[in-house]
Coordinates of all heavy atoms in Angstrom, one line a residue:
M14 N 2.2 -5.4 26.5 CA 1.0 -4.7 26.9 C 1.4 -3.7 28.0 O 2.2 -4.0 28.9 CB 0.1 -5.8 27.5 CG -1.2 -5.1 27.9 SD -2.5 -6.4 28.2 CE -2.8 -7.0 26.6
P15 N 0.9 -2.5 27.9 CA 1.3 -1.4 28.8 C 1.0 -1.8 30.3 O 0.1 -2.6 30.5 CB 0.4 -0.2 28.4 CG 0.1 -0.5 27.0 CD 0.0 -2.0 26.8
A16 N 1.7 -1.2 31.2 CA 1.5 -1.4 32.6 C 1.3 0.0 33.3 O 1.9 1.0 32.8 CB 2.7 -2.1 33.2
L17 N 0.5 -0.1 34.3 CA 0.3 1.1 35.1 C 0.9 0.9 36.5 O 0.7 -0.2 37.1 CB -1.2 1.5 35.2 CG -1.9 1.8 33.9 CD1 -3.4 2.0 34.2 CD2 -1.3 3.1 33.3
V18 N 1.5 1.9 37.1 CA 1.9 1.8 38.5 C 1.1 2.9 39.2 O 1.1 4.1 38.8 CB 3.4 2.2 38.6 CG1 3.8 2.3 40.1 CG2 4.3 1.1 37.9
L19 N 0.3 2.4 40.2 CA -0.6 3.3 41.0 C 0.1 3.5 42.3 O 0.4 2.5 43.0 CB -1.9 2.6 41.2 CG -2.8 2.5 39.9 CD1 -2.4 1.3 39.1 CD2 -4.2 2.5 40.2
V20 N 0.1 4.7 42.8 CA 0.8 5.0 44.0 C -0.1 5.9 44.8 O -0.5 7.0 44.4 CB 2.2 5.8 43.8 CG1 2.9 5.9 45.1 CG2 3.0 5.1 42.7
E21 N -0.4 5.5 46.1 CA -1.2 6.3 47.0 C -0.1 6.8 48.0 O 0.6 6.0 48.6 CB -2.2 5.5 47.7 CG -3.1 6.3 48.7 CD -4.1 5.5 49.4 OE1 -4.4 4.4 49.0 OE2 -4.7 6.1 50.3
V22 N -0.1 8.1 48.2 CA 0.9 8.7 49.0 C 0.3 9.6 50.1 O -0.6 10.4 49.9 CB 1.9 9.6 48.2 CG1 3.0 10.2 49.0 CG2 2.4 8.9 47.0
S23 N 0.8 9.4 51.3 CA 0.5 10.3 52.5 C 1.8 11.0 52.9 O 2.7 10.3 53.5 CB -0.1 9.5 53.6 OG -0.4 10.3 54.7
I24 N 1.9 12.3 52.7 CA 3.1 13.0 53.0 C 3.2 13.5 54.4 O 2.3 14.2 54.8 CB 3.2 14.2 51.9 CG1 3.2 13.6 50.5 CG2 4.5 15.0 52.2 CD1 2.9 14.7 49.4
H25 N 4.3 13.3 55.1 CA 4.5 13.9 56.4 C 5.7 14.8 56.5 O 5.9 15.5 57.5 CB 4.6 12.8 57.5 CG 5.6 11.7 57.2 ND1 5.3 10.5 56.7 CD2 7.0 11.7 57.3 CE1 6.4 9.8 56.5 NE2 7.4 10.5 56.9
N26 N 6.4 15.0 55.4 CA 7.5 15.9 55.3 C 7.5 16.6 53.9 O 8.2 16.1 53.0 CB 8.9 15.3 55.6 CG 10.0 16.3 55.6 OD1 10.0 17.3 55.0 ND2 11.0 16.0 56.4
P27 N 6.6 17.6 53.7 CA 6.4 18.2 52.4 C 7.7 18.7 51.7 O 7.9 18.6 50.5 CB 5.4 19.3 52.6 CG 4.8 19.0 53.9 CD 5.8 18.2 54.7
E28 N 8.6 19.3 52.5 CA 9.8 19.8 51.9 C 10.7 18.7 51.3 O 11.2 18.8 50.2 CB 10.6 20.6 52.9 CG 9.9 21.9 53.4 CD 8.9 21.6 54.5 OE1 8.9 20.6 55.2 OE2 8.0 22.5 54.7
L29 N 10.8 17.7 52.1 CA 11.6 16.5 51.6 C 11.0 15.8 50.4 O 11.6 15.4 49.5 CB 11.9 15.5 52.8 CG 12.9 14.4 52.5 CD1 14.3 15.0 52.2 CD2 13.0 13.5 53.8
Y30 N 9.6 15.8 50.4 CA 8.9 15.2 49.3 C 9.1 16.0 48.0 O 9.3 15.4 46.9 CB 7.4 15.0 49.6 CG 6.7 14.1 48.6 CD1 6.8 12.7 48.8 CD2 6.0 14.6 47.6 CE1 6.2 11.9 47.9 CE2 5.4 13.8 46.7 CZ 5.5 12.4 46.8 OH 4.9 11.6 45.9
E31 N 9.2 17.3 48.2 CA 9.5 18.2 47.0 C 10.9 17.8 46.4 O 11.0 17.8 45.2 CB 9.4 19.6 47.3 CG 8.0 20.1 47.5 CD 7.1 20.0 46.3 OE1 7.5 20.3 45.2 OE2 5.9 19.5 46.5
E32 N 11.8 17.5 47.3 CA 13.1 17.1 46.8 C 13.1 15.8 46.0 O 13.7 15.6 45.0 CB 14.1 17.0 48.0 CG 15.5 16.7 47.6 CD 16.2 17.8 46.8 OE1 15.8 19.0 46.9 OE2 17.1 17.5 46.0
Y33 N 12.3 14.9 46.5 CA 12.1 13.6 45.9 C 11.5 13.8 44.5 O 12.0 13.2 43.5 CB 11.2 12.7 46.7 CG 10.5 11.6 46.0 CD1 11.3 10.4 45.7 CD2 9.2 11.6 45.6 CE1 10.7 9.4 45.0 CE2 8.6 10.5 44.9 CZ 9.4 9.4 44.6 OH 8.8 8.4 44.0
K34 N 10.5 14.7 44.4 CA 9.8 14.9 43.1 C 10.7 15.5 42.0 O 10.6 15.2 40.9 CB 8.6 15.9 43.3 CG 7.4 15.2 44.0 CD 6.3 16.2 44.3 CE 6.1 17.4 43.5 NZ 5.0 18.2 43.9
K35 N 11.7 16.2 42.4 CA 12.7 16.8 41.5 C 13.5 15.7 40.7 O 14.0 16.0 39.6 CB 13.7 17.7 42.2 CG 13.1 19.0 42.8 CD 14.2 19.7 43.5 CE 13.6 20.9 44.3 NZ 14.7 21.6 45.1
H36 N 13.6 14.6 41.3 CA 14.5 13.5 40.7 C 13.7 12.4 40.0 O 14.4 11.6 39.4 CB 15.4 13.0 41.8 CG 16.2 14.0 42.4 ND1 17.3 14.7 41.8 CD2 16.1 14.6 43.7 CE1 17.8 15.6 42.7 NE2 17.1 15.6 43.8
T37 N 12.4 12.3 40.2 CA 11.7 11.1 39.7 C 11.6 11.0 38.2 O 11.7 10.0 37.6 CB 10.4 10.9 40.4 OG1 9.6 12.1 40.2 CG2 10.5 10.7 41.9
L38 N 11.2 12.2 37.6 CA 10.9 12.2 36.2 C 12.0 11.6 35.3 O 11.7 10.7 34.4 CB 10.5 13.6 35.7 CG 10.2 13.7 34.2 CD1 9.0 12.9 33.8 CD2 9.9 15.2 33.8
Q39 N 13.2 11.9 35.6 CA 14.3 11.4 34.8 C 14.4 9.9 34.9 O 14.6 9.2 33.9 CB 15.7 12.1 35.2 CG 16.8 11.6 34.4 CD 18.1 12.2 34.8 OE1 18.2 13.0 35.8 NE2 19.2 11.9 34.1
T40 N 14.2 9.3 36.0 CA 14.3 7.9 36.2 C 13.2 7.2 35.5 O 13.4 6.2 34.8 CB 14.4 7.4 37.6 OG1 13.1 7.7 38.3 CG2 15.5 8.1 38.4
I41 N 12.0 7.8 35.5 CA 10.8 7.2 34.9 C 11.0 7.2 33.4 O 10.8 6.2 32.7 CB 9.6 8.0 35.3 CG1 9.2 7.7 36.8 CG2 8.4 7.6 34.4 CD1 8.3 8.7 37.4
Q42 N 11.5 8.3 32.8 CA 11.7 8.4 31.4 C 12.8 7.5 30.9 O 12.7 7.0 29.8 CB 12.0 9.9 31.0 CG 10.9 10.8 31.1 CD 11.2 12.3 30.9 OE1 12.4 12.7 31.1 NE2 10.2 13.0 30.5
Q43 N 13.8 7.2 31.7 CA 14.9 6.3 31.3 C 14.3 4.9 31.0 O 14.9 4.2 30.3 CB 15.9 6.1 32.5 CG 17.0 7.1 32.4 CD 18.0 6.8 33.6 OE1 17.8 7.3 34.7 NE2 18.9 5.9 33.3
Y44 N 13.2 4.6 31.6 CA 12.6 3.2 31.5 C 11.3 3.3 30.6 O 10.5 2.4 30.6 CB 12.3 2.6 32.8 CG 13.6 2.2 33.5 CD1 14.4 3.1 34.2 CD2 14.0 0.9 33.4 CE1 15.6 2.7 34.7 CE2 15.2 0.5 33.9 CZ 16.0 1.4 34.6 OH 17.2 1.0 35.1
G45 N 11.2 4.3 29.8 CA 10.1 4.5 28.9 C 8.8 4.8 29.5 O 7.7 4.6 28.9
G46 N 8.8 5.3 30.7 CA 7.6 5.6 31.4 C 7.2 7.1 31.4 O 8.0 7.9 30.9
K47 N 6.0 7.3 31.8 CA 5.5 8.7 31.8 C 4.4 8.8 32.9 O 3.8 7.8 33.4 CB 4.9 9.1 30.5 CG 3.6 8.3 30.1 CD 3.1 8.8 28.8 CE 1.8 8.0 28.4 NZ 1.2 8.5 27.2
F48 N 4.2 10.0 33.4 CA 3.2 10.3 34.3 C 1.8 10.4 33.6 O 1.7 11.0 32.6 CB 3.4 11.6 35.1 CG 4.4 11.6 36.1 CD1 5.7 12.1 35.9 CD2 4.1 11.1 37.4 CE1 6.7 12.1 36.9 CE2 5.1 11.1 38.4 CZ 6.3 11.5 38.1
V49 N 0.8 9.7 34.2 CA -0.5 9.8 33.7 C -1.3 10.7 34.6 O -2.1 11.5 34.2 CB -1.2 8.4 33.6 CG1 -2.7 8.5 33.1 CG2 -0.4 7.5 32.6
V50 N -1.1 10.5 35.9 CA -1.7 11.4 37.0 C -0.5 11.7 37.9 O 0.2 10.8 38.3 CB -2.8 10.7 37.7 CG1 -3.3 11.5 38.9 CG2 -4.0 10.3 36.8
R51 N -0.4 13.0 38.3 CA 0.6 13.3 39.2 C 0.1 14.3 40.3 O 0.2 15.5 40.2 CB 1.8 14.0 38.5 CG 3.0 14.2 39.4 CD 4.2 14.7 38.6 NE 5.4 14.6 39.4 CZ 6.6 15.1 39.0 NH1 6.7 15.6 37.8 NH2 7.6 15.0 39.8
G52 N -0.6 13.7 41.3 CA -1.1 14.5 42.4 C -2.3 15.4 42.1 O -2.6 16.3 42.9
A53 N -3.1 15.1 41.1 CA -4.3 15.8 40.8 C -5.4 15.5 41.9 O -5.3 14.5 42.6 CB -4.9 15.5 39.4
A54 N -6.3 16.4 42.0 CA -7.4 16.2 43.0 C -8.2 15.0 42.7 O -8.4 14.6 41.5 CB -8.4 17.4 42.9
T55 N -8.6 14.3 43.7 CA -9.4 13.1 43.6 C -10.7 13.2 44.2 O -10.9 14.1 45.2 CB -8.7 11.8 44.2 OG1 -8.6 12.1 45.6 CG2 -7.3 11.6 43.6
E56 N -11.7 12.5 43.8 CA -13.1 12.5 44.4 C -13.5 11.0 44.5 O -13.6 10.4 43.4 CB -14.0 13.3 43.5 CG -15.4 13.4 44.1 CD -16.3 14.2 43.2 OE1 -15.8 15.0 42.3 OE2 -17.5 14.1 43.4
S57 N -13.9 10.6 45.6 CA -14.3 9.2 45.8 C -15.7 9.1 45.3 O -16.6 9.8 45.6 CB -14.3 8.9 47.3 OG -14.7 7.5 47.5
L58 N -15.9 8.1 44.4 CA -17.3 7.8 43.9 C -17.9 6.6 44.7 O -19.1 6.6 44.8 CB -17.2 7.4 42.4 CG -16.7 8.5 41.5 CD1 -16.5 8.0 40.1 CD2 -17.5 9.7 41.6
E59 N -17.1 5.7 45.2 CA -17.6 4.6 46.0 C -16.6 4.3 47.1 O -15.4 4.4 46.9 CB -17.9 3.4 45.2 CG -19.0 3.5 44.2 CD -19.3 2.2 43.5 OE1 -19.0 1.1 44.1 OE2 -19.8 2.2 42.4
G60 N -17.1 3.8 48.2 CA -16.2 3.4 49.3 C -15.6 4.6 50.0 O -15.9 5.7 49.8
N61 N -14.7 4.2 50.9 CA -14.0 5.2 51.8 C -12.6 5.3 51.3 O -11.7 4.9 52.0 CB -14.1 4.8 53.2 CG -13.6 5.9 54.2 OD1 -13.4 7.0 53.8 ND2 -13.3 5.5 55.4
W62 N -12.4 5.9 50.1 CA -11.0 6.0 49.6 C -10.8 7.4 49.2 O -11.3 7.9 48.2 CB -10.8 5.0 48.4 CG -9.4 5.0 47.9 CD1 -8.3 5.1 48.6 CD2 -9.0 4.7 46.6 NE1 -7.2 5.0 47.8 CE2 -7.6 4.7 46.5 CE3 -9.7 4.5 45.4 CZ2 -6.9 4.5 45.4 CZ3 -9.0 4.2 44.2 CH2 -7.6 4.2 44.3
N63 N -10.0 8.2 49.9 CA -9.7 9.5 49.6 C -8.2 9.8 49.8 O -7.7 10.3 50.8 CB -10.5 10.5 50.5 CG -12.0 10.4 50.2 OD1 -12.3 10.7 49.1 ND2 -12.8 10.1 51.2
P64 N -7.4 9.3 48.8 CA -5.9 9.5 49.0 C -5.5 10.9 49.1 O -6.1 11.8 48.4 CB -5.4 8.8 47.7 CG -6.5 8.7 46.8 CD -7.7 8.7 47.6
E65 N -4.5 11.2 49.9 CA -4.0 12.6 50.0 C -3.3 12.9 48.7 O -3.5 14.0 48.2 CB -2.9 12.6 51.1 CG -2.3 13.9 51.3 CD -1.2 13.8 52.4 OE1 -1.3 13.1 53.3 OE2 -0.2 14.5 52.2
R66 N -2.6 12.0 48.1 CA -2.0 12.2 46.8 C -2.0 10.9 46.0 O -1.7 9.8 46.6 CB -0.5 12.6 47.0 CG 0.3 12.9 45.7 CD 1.7 13.4 46.0 NE 2.4 13.6 44.8 CZ 2.4 14.7 44.1 NH1 1.5 15.7 44.4 NH2 3.1 14.8 43.0
L67 N -2.4 11.0 44.7 CA -2.4 9.8 43.9 C -1.6 10.0 42.7 O -1.7 11.1 42.0 CB -3.9 9.5 43.4 CG -4.1 8.3 42.6 CD1 -3.8 7.0 43.4 CD2 -5.5 8.2 42.0
V68 N -0.7 9.1 42.4 CA 0.2 9.2 41.2 C 0.0 7.9 40.4 O -0.1 6.8 40.9 CB 1.7 9.3 41.6 CG1 2.6 9.2 40.4 CG2 1.9 10.5 42.5
I69 N -0.2 8.1 39.1 CA -0.3 6.9 38.2 C 0.8 7.1 37.1 O 0.9 8.2 36.4 CB -1.7 6.8 37.5 CG1 -2.7 6.7 38.6 CG2 -1.7 5.7 36.5 CD1 -4.2 6.7 38.1
L70 N 1.6 6.1 36.9 CA 2.6 6.0 35.9 C 2.3 5.0 34.8 O 1.6 4.0 35.2 CB 4.0 5.6 36.5 CG 4.4 6.4 37.7 CD1 5.6 5.8 38.4 CD2 4.7 7.9 37.3
Q71 N 2.7 5.2 33.6 CA 2.6 4.2 32.6 C 3.9 3.8 32.0 O 4.8 4.7 31.8 CB 1.7 4.7 31.4 CG 1.5 3.7 30.3 CD 0.6 4.3 29.2 OE1 0.4 5.5 29.0 NE2 -0.1 3.4 28.5
F72 N 4.1 2.5 31.9 CA 5.4 1.9 31.3 C 5.0 1.0 30.2 O 3.8 0.6 30.1 CB 6.1 1.1 32.4 CG 6.8 2.0 33.5 CD1 6.1 2.3 34.6 CD2 8.0 2.5 33.2 CE1 6.7 3.1 35.6 CE2 8.6 3.3 34.2 CZ 8.0 3.7 35.4
P73 N 6.0 0.7 29.3 CA 5.7 -0.2 28.2 C 5.1 -1.6 28.6 O 4.3 -2.2 27.9 CB 7.0 -0.4 27.5 CG 7.8 0.8 27.9 CD 7.3 1.2 29.3
D74 N 5.5 -2.1 29.8 CA 5.0 -3.4 30.2 C 5.4 -3.6 31.7 O 6.1 -2.8 32.3 CB 5.6 -4.6 29.4 CG 7.2 -4.5 29.3 OD1 7.8 -4.3 30.3 OD2 7.7 -4.5 28.2
V75 N 4.8 -4.6 32.3 CA 5.0 -4.9 33.7 C 6.5 -5.1 34.0 O 7.0 -4.5 35.0 CB 4.2 -6.1 34.2 CG1 4.6 -6.5 35.6 CG2 2.7 -5.7 34.2
A76 N 7.2 -5.8 33.2 CA 8.7 -6.1 33.5 C 9.4 -4.8 33.5 O 10.3 -4.6 34.4 CB 9.2 -7.0 32.4
T77 N 9.2 -3.9 32.6 CA 9.9 -2.6 32.6 C 9.6 -1.8 33.8 O 10.4 -1.1 34.4 CB 9.6 -1.8 31.3 OG1 9.9 -2.6 30.2 CG2 10.3 -0.5 31.2
A78 N 8.3 -1.8 34.2 CA 7.9 -1.1 35.4 C 8.6 -1.6 36.6 O 9.1 -0.8 37.5 CB 6.4 -1.1 35.6
K79 N 8.7 -2.9 36.8 CA 9.4 -3.5 37.9 C 10.9 -3.3 37.8 O 11.6 -3.0 38.8 CB 9.1 -5.0 37.9 CG 7.7 -5.3 38.3 CD 7.3 -6.7 38.1 CE 7.8 -7.7 39.1 NZ 7.3 -9.1 38.9
N80 N 11.5 -3.2 36.6 CA 12.9 -2.9 36.4 C 13.2 -1.5 36.9 O 14.2 -1.2 37.5 CB 13.4 -3.1 35.0 CG 13.5 -4.6 34.6 OD1 13.6 -5.4 35.5 ND2 13.4 -4.9 33.3
W81 N 12.3 -0.6 36.5 CA 12.4 0.9 37.0 C 12.4 0.9 38.5 O 13.3 1.5 39.1 CB 11.3 1.7 36.4 CG 11.1 3.0 37.2 CD1 11.9 4.1 37.1 CD2 10.1 3.3 38.2 NE1 11.5 5.1 38.0 CE2 10.4 4.6 38.7 CE3 9.0 2.6 38.7 CZ2 9.6 5.2 39.6 CZ3 8.2 3.2 39.7 CH2 8.5 4.4 40.1
W82 N 11.4 0.3 39.1 CA 11.3 0.3 40.6 C 12.5 -0.2 41.3 O 13.0 0.3 42.3 CB 10.0 -0.5 41.0 CG 9.8 -0.4 42.5 CD1 9.2 0.6 43.2 CD2 10.3 -1.3 43.5 NE1 9.3 0.4 44.5 CE2 9.9 -0.8 44.7 CE3 11.0 -2.5 43.4 CZ2 10.2 -1.5 45.9 CZ3 11.3 -3.2 44.6 CH2 10.9 -2.6 45.8
A83 N 13.2 -1.3 40.7 CA 14.3 -1.9 41.3 C 15.6 -1.3 40.8 O 16.7 -1.7 41.3 CB 14.3 -3.4 41.0
S84 N 15.6 -0.4 39.9 CA 16.8 0.2 39.3 C 17.7 0.9 40.3 O 17.2 1.5 41.3 CB 16.5 1.1 38.1 OG 15.9 2.3 38.6
P85 N 19.0 1.0 40.0 CA 19.9 1.8 40.9 C 19.5 3.3 40.9 O 19.6 3.9 41.9 CB 21.2 1.6 40.3 CG 21.1 0.4 39.4 CD 19.7 0.2 39.0
E86 N 19.0 3.7 39.7 CA 18.7 5.2 39.6 C 17.5 5.5 40.5 O 17.5 6.5 41.2 CB 18.3 5.5 38.1 CG 19.4 5.3 37.1 CD 19.4 3.8 36.6 OE1 18.6 3.0 36.9 OE2 20.3 3.6 35.7
Y87 N 16.5 4.7 40.5 CA 15.3 5.0 41.3 C 15.5 4.6 42.8 O 15.1 5.3 43.7 CB 14.0 4.3 40.8 CG 12.8 4.7 41.6 CD1 12.5 6.1 41.7 CD2 12.1 3.8 42.3 CE1 11.4 6.5 42.4 CE2 11.0 4.2 43.0 CZ 10.6 5.5 43.1 OH 9.6 5.9 43.8
S88 N 16.3 3.5 43.0 CA 16.6 3.1 44.4 C 17.3 4.2 45.2 O 17.1 4.4 46.4 CB 17.4 1.8 44.4 OG 16.6 0.7 43.9
A89 N 18.1 4.9 44.5 CA 18.9 6.0 45.1 C 17.9 7.1 45.6 O 18.3 7.8 46.6 CB 19.9 6.6 44.2
I90 N 16.8 7.3 45.0 CA 15.9 8.4 45.4 C 14.7 8.0 46.1 O 14.1 8.8 46.8 CB 15.6 9.4 44.2 CG1 14.9 8.6 43.1 CG2 16.8 10.1 43.7 CD1 14.3 9.5 42.0
K91 N 14.3 6.7 45.9 CA 13.0 6.3 46.6 C 13.3 6.3 48.1 O 12.3 6.4 48.9 CB 12.5 5.0 46.1 CG 13.3 3.7 46.4 CD 12.6 2.5 45.8 CE 13.5 1.3 45.8 NZ 12.9 0.2 45.0
T92 N 14.5 6.2 48.6 CA 14.8 6.3 50.0 C 14.3 7.7 50.6 O 13.9 7.8 51.7 CB 16.2 6.1 50.4 OG1 17.0 7.0 49.6 CG2 16.7 4.7 50.0
I93 N 14.4 8.7 49.7 CA 13.9 10.0 50.1 C 12.4 10.0 50.3 O 11.9 10.5 51.3 CB 14.2 11.1 49.0 CG1 15.7 11.2 48.9 CG2 13.6 12.5 49.4 CD1 16.1 12.1 47.7
R94 N 11.7 9.3 49.4 CA 10.2 9.1 49.6 C 9.9 8.4 50.9 O 9.0 8.7 51.6 CB 9.6 8.4 48.4 CG 8.1 8.2 48.5 CD 7.5 7.6 47.2 NE 8.2 6.5 46.7 CZ 8.0 5.2 47.1 NH1 7.2 4.9 48.1 NH2 8.6 4.2 46.5
Y95 N 10.7 7.3 51.2 CA 10.5 6.6 52.4 C 10.6 7.5 53.6 O 9.9 7.3 54.6 CB 11.5 5.4 52.5 CG 11.3 4.3 51.5 CD1 12.4 3.5 51.2 CD2 10.1 4.1 50.8 CE1 12.3 2.5 50.3 CE2 10.0 3.1 49.9 CZ 11.1 2.3 49.6 OH 11.0 1.3 48.7
E96 N 11.5 8.5 53.6 CA 11.6 9.4 54.7 C 10.5 10.5 54.7 O 10.2 11.0 55.8 CB 13.0 10.1 54.6 CG 14.2 9.2 54.9 CD 15.5 9.9 54.8 OE1 15.6 11.0 55.4 OE2 16.4 9.4 54.2
A97 N 10.0 10.8 53.6 CA 9.1 12.0 53.5 C 7.6 11.6 53.5 O 6.8 12.4 53.8 CB 9.3 12.7 52.2
A98 N 7.3 10.3 53.3 CA 5.9 9.9 53.1 C 5.7 8.4 53.3 O 6.7 7.6 53.3 CB 5.4 10.2 51.7
N99 N 4.5 8.1 53.5 CA 4.0 6.6 53.5 C 3.3 6.4 52.2 O 2.5 7.2 51.8 CB 3.1 6.4 54.7 CG 3.8 6.5 56.0 OD1 4.9 6.2 56.2 ND2 3.1 7.1 57.0
S100 N 3.6 5.3 51.6 CA 3.1 5.0 50.3 C 2.6 3.6 50.1 O 3.1 2.7 50.8 CB 4.2 5.2 49.2 OG 4.7 6.5 49.3
K101 N 1.7 3.4 49.2 CA 1.2 2.1 48.8 C 1.4 2.1 47.2 O 1.1 3.1 46.6 CB -0.2 1.8 49.1 CG -0.5 1.8 50.6 CD -2.0 1.6 50.8 CE -2.3 1.7 52.3 NZ -3.8 1.7 52.5
M102 N 2.0 1.0 46.7 CA 2.3 1.0 45.2 C 1.9 -0.3 44.6 O 2.2 -1.4 45.2 CB 3.8 1.3 45.0 CG 4.2 1.5 43.6 SD 5.9 1.9 43.4 CE 6.1 3.4 44.1
L103 N 1.2 -0.2 43.5 CA 0.8 -1.4 42.8 C 1.3 -1.3 41.3 O 1.3 -0.2 40.8 CB -0.7 -1.6 42.7 CG -1.5 -1.8 44.0 CD1 -3.0 -1.7 43.8 CD2 -1.2 -3.1 44.6
V104 N 1.5 -2.4 40.7 CA 1.7 -2.5 39.2 C 0.7 -3.4 38.7 O 0.4 -4.4 39.2 CB 3.2 -2.9 38.9 CG1 3.4 -4.3 39.3 CG2 3.4 -2.8 37.3
V105 N 0.0 -2.9 37.6 CA -1.0 -3.7 36.9 C -0.9 -3.6 35.4 O -0.4 -2.6 34.9 CB -2.5 -3.2 37.3 CG1 -2.8 -3.4 38.8 CG2 -2.7 -1.8 36.9
E106 N -1.2 -4.8 34.8 CA -1.2 -4.8 33.3 C -2.4 -4.0 32.8 O -3.5 -4.2 33.3 CB -1.3 -6.2 32.9 CG -0.8 -6.4 31.5 CD -0.6 -7.9 31.1 OE1 0.4 -8.5 31.5 OE2 -1.6 -8.4 30.5
S107 N -2.2 -3.2 31.8 CA -3.2 -2.3 31.3 C -3.8 -3.0 30.1 O -3.4 -4.1 29.6 CB -2.6 -1.0 30.9 OG -3.6 -0.1 30.4
V108 N -4.9 -2.4 29.5 CA -5.5 -3.0 28.3 C -5.3 -2.1 27.1 O -5.0 -1.0 27.2 CB -7.0 -3.2 28.5 CG1 -7.3 -4.3 29.6 CG2 -7.8 -1.9 28.9

């Protein structure tokens, strides 16, 4: 069953975050993933949730999404994200 990875990002170093973005697509594709949403504008319909940046990825299943996140390929570049932004990330099984 497909899995979605939801990422809420608050960027404090835009130049460094741009460097991070240059390298993510290849790692995602290596694990059969793709971007569903990549920083598009958001509008809150309920509650007080207005993320600065929202990213949604789709992978073949939860195990593959977790393997991507823990992979050597992504681990090498997620440290850039840690320096450039604060993030919250969830993986959920899709329908």
